Amino acid sequence: MTAAPVQVTARGAERWKQGHPWIYRTDVAEEPDKEPGIVRVTDRRGRFLGQALYSPKSEIRLRLLTRAETPLDAVWWGGRIAAAISHRMGIEANAWRAVHAEADGLPSLIIDKYGPWVVAQLLSAGLERSRDDVVAGIRAALSPQGILLRNDAGVRRHEGLPLEVVLAYGEVPEVVEVVEGGVKYLAAPWKGQKTGAFLDQRENRALVARHARPGGRALDLFTYHGSFALHLARPSAEVIAVDQSTEALARGAENASLNGIDNISWREANAFDLLRELERRKERFDTIVLDPPAFAKTKATVTRAVAGYKEINLRAMRILAPGGVLFTCSCSYHVGRDVFQAMIADAARDSGRRLQVITVCGAAGDHPELVNVPETGYLKGALLRAVD
Ligand code: SAH
């Protein structure tokens, strides 16, 4: 790597010192080549600060890889991926996140393992240039039968990168069977949401199932392929799983038969409308799950999003049976933990219910957050019990 280094301002250098791996466009002083890839970064006096992924078209210009001068080749990538994997032992599932980007010191890189296959996402222009080394590193660390790159995530647009799905190595099937705490479901690596399934809720699904009333009535709103519903079906007498997508529900039903489960009814509806109807009919549920999509996609839509979250939470609280539990969550990065908790408090007040906090939770442990990098956390949840 002989290219001229990228120089950053004192403020840029300070961010790395503070433990945040990103340096923004406005804190870059000199960028001689405008070619994405791994670059050396110095301060304005030419002092070496580290090596970073460089994205000349993105507001996030630099993502720190290391403060060392070592060559960042396939062996380095393999080593760092292996280090991340070493922190993920004992997961009760055959699908889990092996690398959670910034939080594992591998900015803009997501690696999910589905049985013997790997689905990865390369989410920055700088990283894209190291694609061959990253793929070699994944092969060295995980010896998979195939590696699929789900590089169709919208954030790649900010990097000037094409949205594409690419088979980088071996073969990856259309459908993969995931076994999670004894429950089976099918993931779709090529076409499903994210890398094929919502792995971040794994621990929360087990949590809710543990707290569901035996022989009770459960409601899973925004069920997608039914993964919460499947976990609730065992303790509960009856589960109603709701989604507005026919296709998602069909997959959910398929998953149920895969497990020999026949006590889930799949209901196509808008969750907002259905909640209103259930309330009007005075129906009651012992267990309710609210796992909506991100209502706030940008900062500007937070207020409206919070109103939406509050509405579904308020109505869910109202139809909760005495002693019943509600699992509620938000995956909107722009809705912070404090805002989320204030929303719950607000809804609880308006519902007139007395609600205990059983647990406040986030994403599963294989999707860690970095203490000083709020961007690594997006999922927040709470398990509540009605005690009035
Ligand atoms: N609980 C799922 C993930 C939910 S993803 C899991 O753990 O795997 C969000 C789902 O909400 C999608 O399937 C989408 O179709 C559905 N959805 C979005 N808006 C909706 C609405 N207003 N009513 C019902 N379903 C909705």
Side-chain angles (χ1 to χ4, degrees):
M1 214 176 17
T2 48
V6 171
Q7 284 186 20
V8 297
T9 64
R11 200 171 65 174
E14 186 58 25
R15 277 181 71 78
W16 281 359
K17 253 200 194 145
Q18 299 290 328
H20 202 296
W22 297 352
I23 295 178
Y24 291 101
R25 175 182 59 82
T26 46
D27 295 326
V28 171
E30 286 287 340
E31 35 190 343
D33 288 338
K34 294 269 184 181
E35 271 297 311
I38 296 175
V39 294
R40 287 169 55 80
V41 179
T42 70
D43 66 11
R44 283 181 128 154
R45 306 224 305 264
R47 264 186 313 213
F48 176 75
L49 297 175
Q51 299 185 67
L53 295 170
Y54 171 59
S55 294
K57 291 192 176 147
S58 170
E59 282 299 303
I60 306 170
R61 277 294 210 270
L62 294 164
R63 294 172 169 92
L64 178 65
L65 290 172
T66 176
R67 311 292 293 237
E69 302 222 36
T70 44
L72 303 185
D73 52 13
V75 173
W76 182 86
W77 288 98
R80 210 168 253 200
I81 293 165
I85 292 166
S86 71
H87 300 134
R88 289 165 165 83
M89 293 300 143
I91 295 175
E92 252 189 90
N94 68 343
W96 41 272
R97 177 149 296 184
V99 167
H100 190 48
E102 274 73 359
D104 284 303
L106 289 163
S108 65
L109 177 61
I110 298 286
I111 302 176
D112 288 342
K113 188 171 149 45
Y114 288 88
W117 300 284
V118 162
V119 185
Q121 295 183 304
L122 276 56
L123 302 176
S124 76
L127 184 63
E128 184 68 61
R129 285 293 167 103
S130 292
R131 181 196 281 207
D132 292 347
D133 286 345
V134 171
V135 168
I138 295 173
R139 289 183 59 186
L142 284 162
S143 311
Q145 288 176 14
I147 303 174
L148 182 69
L149 303 180
R150 278 297 298 272
N151 286 343
D152 54 346
V155 286
R156 281 180 47 113
R157 285 200 192 95
H158 303 302
E159 299 281 325
L161 293 172
L163 305 196
E164 56 190 16
V165 179
V166 184
L167 183 66
Y169 166 71
E171 282 180 34
V172 173
E174 287 287 326
V175 175
V176 175
E177 188 176 296
V178 174
V179 189
E180 181 187 281
V183 169
K184 291 183 228 165
Y185 67 87
L186 302 176
W190 291 79
K191 299 201 180 103
Q193 302 238 21
K194 295 197 173 199
T195 61
F198 290 96
L199 304 179
D200 52 356
Q201 293 278 28
R202 184 181 54 251
E203 290 172 9
N204 295 331
R205 290 190 275 262
L207 173 82
V208 186
R210 267 202 313 279
H211 286 84
R213 172 174 297 169
R217 195 170 183 228
L219 177 65
D220 178 20
L221 293 159
F222 309 95
T223 190
Y224 187 51
H225 295 170
S227 47
F228 274 97
L230 297 169
H231 283 265
L232 289 174
R234 284 193 287 191
S236 311
E238 174 202 357
V239 185
I240 300 177
V242 181
D243 204 284
Q244 66 184 11
S245 151
T246 324
E247 208 192 316
L249 291 172
R251 279 298 181 86
E254 232 181 287
N255 285 332
S257 49
L258 197 64
N259 290 277
I261 289 171
D262 59 4
N263 60 343
I264 304 176
S265 41
W266 304 93
R267 189 134 171 207
E268 188 178 330
N270 179 320
F272 286 82
D273 298 339
L274 183 69
L275 274 167
R276 222 171 293 135
E277 189 188 319
L278 293 170
E279 190 187 337
R280 201 174 43 241
R281 293 209 310 253
K282 295 199 170 20
E283 302 229 11
R284 291 291 175 268
F285 293 88
D286 301 293
T287 313
I288 303 179
V289 170
L290 285 178
D291 182 21
F295 287 165
K297 299 268 198 274
T298 62
K299 243 189 198 159
T301 54
V302 167
T303 311
R304 262 195 38 213
V306 171
Y309 286 123
K310 186 187 163 186
E311 177 173 346
I312 53 173
N313 277 275
L314 170 61
R315 294 190 194 281
M317 288 168 184
R318 284 187 181 147
I319 61 170
L320 204 54
V325 295
L326 167 64
F327 174 72
T328 177
C329 62
S330 163
C331 58
S332 296
Y333 161 66
H334 297 283
V335 174
R337 249 172 224 293
D338 45 347
V339 175
F340 178 67
Q341 298 210 12
M343 177 281 295
I344 292 176
D346 222 17
R349 195 178 312 115
D350 288 5
S351 74
R353 303 299 299 271
R354 192 143 59 92
L355 291 154
Q356 267 178 356
V357 180
I358 302 174
T359 319
V360 171
C361 48
D366 52 343
H367 297 59
E369 288 179 32
L370 274 188
V371 172
N372 288 309
V373 186
E375 292 86 352
T376 52
Y378 56 95
L379 184 65
K380 52 247 133 210
L383 185 67
L384 311 171
R385 187 193 306 281
V387 289
D388 44 11

